Amino acid sequence: MSDRSGIFAGDDPFDIARSWLAEAQRSEPNDPDAIALATVDADGMPDARMVLLKEIEEAAFVFYTNYGSAKAREIDATGKAAFVMHWKSLRRQIRVRGTVTREDGPQADAYYASRSLKSRLGARASRQSQPLASRAALMAEVARVTATHGTAPERPSYWGGYRIRPLQIEFWADGAFRLHDRFVWTRQNLADPWVVTRLNP
């Protein structure tokens, strides 16, 4: 039996993750919701980039992107991803590995509508991860999209969310003399109960 207490206490890893994120939002100077998202391509070559986590649901983590991006193509091909959230101010991190599905309905529409107008138009103008001739070409496309879609652009079909349902969540906190505290929650299938294990630093 693990000896979890303090910041690690709780019966729901998503509640713990939300608690840590809320604490980070009070102390982290920039983008406390940033995650390093990892995927693999068709050859098994890993890839990673920073994106913003937009919601911790009851049983999943959600972010949004262009479906034509490299990360989206890799996720669609494998149905899997991993990420790490790291907060220097708290000296903590959360690592997640799991299966991924698209969030391409009303929830994605609502989030898109909540973004600033310039962000919505930018999402329509950018062919994310595709070659770009110049900054001027991008700005010209933004101007064209602005003239076409005006002040109320709808969410484009090539832009939406991804929902990561974890099979593993690890909570890590810095310890004196590098004797860190680590607790990993694991399950073989999404319907299985969580098993919590303390790991060596």
Side-chain angles (χ1 to χ4, degrees), residues 2-200:
S2 63
D3 56 336
R4 291 183 299 117
S5 61
I7 61 172
F8 295 99
D11 298 323
D12 184 334
F14 300 97
D15 284 344
I16 298 172
R18 280 188 287 269
S19 175
W20 284 27
L21 177 57
E23 192 171 348
Q25 288 169 336
R26 296 189 293 269
S27 61
E28 198 73 12
N30 293 301
D31 297 328
D33 55 348
I35 60 175
L37 178 72
T39 55
V40 295
D41 67 15
D43 297 321
M45 180 67 73
D47 205 352
R49 76 290 287 161
M50 302 302 296
V51 301
L52 297 180
L53 182 69
K54 287 304 174 181
E55 189 171 357
I56 302 177
E57 298 180 331
E58 183 178 338
F61 300 87
V62 180
F63 71 94
Y64 293 86
T65 191
N66 187 308
Y67 289 144
S69 65
K71 59 183 169 296
R73 294 194 305 270
E74 291 167 0
I75 287 171
D76 288 342
T78 65
K80 300 174 184 176
F83 72 77
V84 60
M85 298 185 86
H86 175 238
W87 300 292
K88 289 184 177 180
S89 61
L90 297 179
R91 297 181 179 272
R92 295 183 207 166
Q93 62 181 331
I94 300 175
R95 298 173 61 212
V96 172
R97 302 169 73 207
T99 61
V100 190
T101 55
R102 284 191 179 189
E103 170 45 63
D104 201 25
Q107 186 172 327
D109 292 337
Y111 172 67
Y112 182 80
S114 75
R115 305 176 89 206
S116 71
L117 175 60
K118 288 185 178 181
S119 292
R120 282 178 281 157
L121 293 169
R124 277 191 162 273
S126 173
R127 295 176 175 84
Q128 197 173 91
S129 300
Q130 301 303 310
L132 177 64
S134 65
R135 178 80 182 178
L138 175 62
M139 298 316 293
E141 182 61 14
V142 170
R144 186 194 70 77
V145 166
T146 301
T148 302
H149 295 281
T151 59
E154 293 183 356
R155 179 177 65 88
S157 60
Y158 50 82
W159 192 97
Y162 282 103
R163 178 174 285 107
I164 302 175
R165 292 183 172 89
L167 294 172
Q168 179 176 311
I169 306 176
E170 181 186 324
F171 296 92
W172 179 104
D174 182 64
F177 311 109
R178 298 191 180 274
L179 298 178
H180 313 303
D181 286 307
R182 299 173 62 188
F183 290 93
V184 61
W185 298 61
T186 56
R187 56 188 177 181
Q188 293 298 310
N189 300 288
L190 294 176
D192 292 344
W194 290 105
V195 175
V196 186
T197 306
R198 178 186 271 275
L199 300 179
N200 271 278

